[in-house]
Amino acid sequence: MNDIYGQTGIEYVFEPYLKGKNGIKQIDMSVDGSIANEYIEEEAIAGSSVVLTLDANLQRITEQALENTINGIRSGEYGKKYEADAGAIVVMDVNSGDVLAMASYPDFDPNSFVGGINQDVWKAYNAKENRVPLMNRAIAGAYAPGSTFKMVTAITALQTGEVSIKEKVNDTGVYPKGHNPRCWMYTQYHRGHGYLNITQAIEKSCNYFFYEMGSRVGIDRLDEYVSAFGLGSKTGIELTNESAGSVASPALSKTKGETWTIGYTLNASIGQGDNNFTPIQMARYISTLVNGGKQVYPTIVKSILNADGTEVSRDEIQKNTNERIGEAPKKDDIEISEENLKAVLEGMKGVTENGGTAYRIFKNFNIEIGGKTGSAQTGVSTNAWFAGFAPYDNPEIAVIVIIENRWSRNNGMLCCKRSYSRILWNECRKYK
């Protein structure tokens, strides 16, 4: 939770409320140096209390789950050893946007900065080999979302009428357009998924299906929905150093001296290319989705209580936040038909049931949830995602997990899902 501590985080944003106001005491001295009289000329005003949305117990469990999982990957607890070295988790109330827990690994001890940080400790915190623990990956780490992006492509295709919930596409393994990309099923098993509708395509995470959807809708319409979900733009959470990320687009490619081709569109449709989003953006995206398109904005501040017992208005809190870190763009609610939303969410439920890509981890889970696995290539490395919500029938929380990197696709997904399982298993039963 790096940026929550210290003058680079919430203390900086709310310093006008936290610092209070100094008072003035008048002291009269006699000629022999003794105090003859003293009185308060101006009363000191105590600082306000900033009440956070964090659940202390869930925060503790989240931090432990993330660290334990990454260490377990490195030690071979889940099979072969891999050099996983960093990650982040965001747990958010899907209705209010309240951040209930947020963890970034590796982390640091904020007490190191009390009284001035030791030079050797400072160097260690900033050393590349230590993965720079001063970076809060939950809000500042921008990653390709991989298959967790496929719900955006699905909603775009459904809402624009390019596919119906009943139409089936035959995944033969190798997509016959652009650079002839392969479905992951073909890469691993030398065959396609066969005929799938959109719900089944989400459940099985079929690349071929979503290549076809990307080809049908085109990059412009796809990017409209990407932007509508708040991906590729700051959420406005009350912390400094939030990254906006980036959205794959012809305009962005042009700035890099690249010419947009159909291949770029195909990559973008499965969450690759220049699509790079933060975990906090992904939490907002999942929350907005399960709310049927109603926009949700992450916040880490529950309230601000003045010393006199009054409460600062939400409008004033927002005004102060905008002045300190800049105003994040507001989005209109997204129009999603009930039928289309049900088809997509049922696909996410199928991910954890019915033999979906996360079924092996969640098959005995005592809470019905919806989710989506994802892996994204970053050079020779692979980052692994899990994006989910619970309970399925009445969503209350979204959980986003990202773990960096340097291991095989399946093992990376497994570790993400284990992190997610531990958090839900310990805390989500109270929502049942």
Side-chain angles (χ1 to χ4, degrees):
M1 287 285 295
N2 309 358
D3 278 351
I4 289 181
Y5 303 109
Q7 287 297 317
T8 60
I10 202 163
E11 287 185 11
Y12 166 76
V13 176
F14 292 101
E15 182 182 11
Y17 297 99
L18 291 168
K19 70 179 181 180
K21 185 179 180 181
N22 293 332
I24 300 175
K25 178 187 283 189
Q26 177 70 39
I27 300 176
D28 295 335
M29 308 287 291
S30 63
V31 292
D32 63 359
S34 61
I35 297 176
N37 190 24
E38 61 179 80
Y39 54 91
I40 301 298
E41 186 172 297
E42 186 176 335
E43 290 284 354
I45 300 176
S48 302
S49 298
V50 177
V51 182
L52 302 183
T53 59
L54 298 176
D55 180 297
N57 188 47
L58 182 57
Q59 178 66 31
R60 175 181 55 81
I61 291 171
T62 300
E63 291 179 357
Q64 290 177 350
L66 181 60
E67 181 176 3
N68 291 344
T69 298
I70 290 175
N71 288 337
I73 297 169
R74 296 173 65 89
S75 66
E77 180 180 340
Y78 310 118
K80 185 179 178 181
K81 295 181 181 180
Y82 292 92
E83 290 300 315
D85 48 17
I89 297 178
V90 175
V91 184
M92 195 170 88
D93 186 315
V94 301
N95 299 302
S96 66
D98 288 356
V99 174
L100 305 177
M102 182 162 59
S104 177
Y105 185 87
D107 56 7
F108 68 94
D109 181 3
N111 292 319
S112 302
F113 292 86
V114 177
I117 191 169
N118 177 279
Q119 187 174 8
D120 290 338
V121 175
W122 177 252
K123 287 182 178 179
Y125 280 160
N126 285 279
K128 186 175 182 180
E129 61 269 21
N130 289 342
R131 301 292 289 156
V132 191
L134 297 176
M135 175 186 179
N136 184 353
R137 287 168 167 78
I139 66 168
Y143 308 90
S147 293
T148 58
F149 179 86
K150 287 174 179 173
M151 288 81 76
V152 180
T153 306
I155 291 295
T156 306
L158 287 167
Q159 288 297 123
T160 58
E162 293 295 345
V163 71
S164 71
I165 62 173
K166 294 182 178 180
E167 180 185 353
K168 291 192 173 184
V169 172
N170 184 20
D171 170 16
T172 58
V174 180
Y175 189 68
K177 295 182 182 179
H179 53 296
N180 302 125
R182 300 177 177 184
C183 184
W184 68 266
M185 175 67 80
Y186 185 87
T187 301
Q188 291 193 14
Y189 303 108
H190 304 291
R191 58 183 174 83
H193 285 99
Y195 284 93
L196 300 175
N197 62 28
I198 203 157
T199 299
Q200 295 166 329
I202 293 172
E203 176 185 312
K204 304 300 183 184
S205 198
C206 177
N207 288 349
Y208 188 107
F209 185 98
F210 289 99
Y211 290 143
E212 175 63 15
M213 295 303 104
S215 176
R216 291 184 189 185
V217 302
I219 193 61
D220 291 338
R221 287 192 292 180
L222 179 60
D223 281 351
E224 287 180 13
Y225 278 86
V226 174
S227 176
F229 276 108
L231 296 169
S233 62
K234 293 183 180 181
T235 67
I237 192 169
E238 305 93 345
L239 296 169
T240 57
N241 301 322
E242 182 183 6
S243 172
S246 62
V247 177
S249 68
L252 179 57
S253 290
K254 187 176 181 179
T255 65
K256 299 163 63 176
E258 300 171 349
T259 301
W260 191 267
T261 66
I262 181 62
Y264 283 55
T265 299
L266 302 182
N267 283 341
S269 68
I270 63 165
Q272 297 280 0
D274 287 327
N275 284 320
N276 292 287
F277 312 133
T278 63
I280 193 69
Q281 287 175 17
M282 296 293 287
R284 175 185 176 185
Y285 149 54
I286 295 298
S287 297
T288 299
L289 175 66
V290 302
N291 273 302
K294 181 185 177 188
Q295 293 291 348
V296 178
Y297 296 94
T299 180
I300 204 163
V301 177
K302 176 68 74 176
S303 62
I304 299 180
L305 304 177
N306 294 321
D308 62 4
T310 59
E311 186 172 334
V312 178
S313 71
R314 202 71 212 180
D315 287 344
E316 185 178 335
I317 293 174
Q318 189 62 61
K319 180 181 178 183
N320 172 77
T321 301
N322 294 345
E323 290 174 351
R324 303 292 279 187
I325 61 174
E327 186 173 358
K330 297 296 182 181
K331 304 288 185 179
D332 293 331
D333 290 347
I334 306 167
E335 184 177 339
I336 305 174
S337 75
E338 186 175 340
E339 181 183 51
N340 290 342
L341 179 64
K342 182 180 179 181
V344 170
L345 297 186
E346 284 185 349
M348 295 181 73
K349 182 169 69 171
V351 167
T352 62
E353 302 177 0
N354 307 327
T357 56
Y359 169 71
R360 192 157 55 95
I361 299 300
F362 290 106
K363 62 182 179 180
N364 295 319
F365 214 59
N366 67 341
I367 301 171
E368 191 173 46
I369 69 171
K372 187 71 191 75
T373 56
S375 59
Q377 296 294 323
T378 57
V380 298
S381 308
T382 302
N383 294 332
W385 288 90
F386 191 91
F389 64 92
Y392 178 79
D393 288 330
N394 186 26
E396 295 197 28
I397 67 167
V399 179
I400 306 298
V401 183
I402 173 74
I403 297 181
E404 304 173 25
N405 52 7
R406 291 183 277 181
W407 68 89
S408 72
R409 178 181 186 275
N410 287 337
N411 195 72
M413 285 185 178
L414 171 64
C415 296
C416 271
K417 287 174 279 191
R418 287 186 185 276
S419 287
Y420 180 80
S421 299
R422 289 171 182 170
I423 295 166
L424 285 183
W425 194 264
N426 282 282
E427 286 298 306
C428 289
R429 283 174 291 184
K430 64 186 179 184
Y431 295 121
K432 197 172 181 183

